[in-house]
Amino acid sequence: LLKVTIIPRSSGALGYAQYLPKEIFLRSREQIMDIVCMALAGRAAEQVFFNQVTTGASDDLRRVTQIVYSTIKDYGMNSRMGQLSFPTNDNQQP
């Protein structure tokens, strides 16, 4: 993560996060959960500073949901499910 702001910079965005180019191809469960925490930081900041949440974090919530589902469904990083993969379509390899 390079830069984060919750201050609106244009009429369409309420804030943004600027990331460095992706160079990491393998991540541990802890690293994935750190990414989830960073993505939800904007929503937490809204709650703390404005005492309310808005729809501004909807894309962050969609992205976090996808990441967490992938952690369990695709990567088998869940102690209750075990090391299993459930690919979305039949052509994917587990």
Side-chain angles (χ1 to χ4, degrees):
L1 184 63
L2 182 63
K3 183 178 185 180
V4 173
T5 180
I6 61 169
I7 300 171
R9 297 290 180 191
S10 67
S11 62
L14 296 176
Y16 71 95
Q18 183 178 2
Y19 296 93
L20 293 172
K22 293 182 182 178
E23 296 181 14
I24 299 173
F25 297 104
L26 300 174
R27 291 190 170 96
S28 68
R29 186 176 190 285
E30 290 76 21
Q31 290 170 321
I32 293 171
M33 290 302 116
D34 287 344
I35 292 169
V36 168
C37 290
M38 286 189 306
L40 294 176
R43 189 167 190 100
E46 282 182 342
Q47 179 67 41
V48 170
F49 290 106
F50 304 124
N51 202 27
Q52 63 180 357
V53 293
T54 66
T55 59
S58 62
D59 187 56
D60 295 335
L61 292 173
R62 182 194 54 77
R63 199 169 117 239
V64 164
T65 302
Q66 179 188 14
I67 290 170
V68 173
Y69 269 102
S70 292
T71 301
I72 297 167
K73 184 177 74 74
D74 297 328
Y75 308 136
M77 293 181 172
N78 184 285
S79 59
R80 292 179 71 186
M81 295 294 295
Q83 294 183 356
L84 299 173
S85 177
F86 300 97
T88 304
N89 69 36
D90 296 331
N91 295 332
Q92 281 184 306
Q93 294 290 327

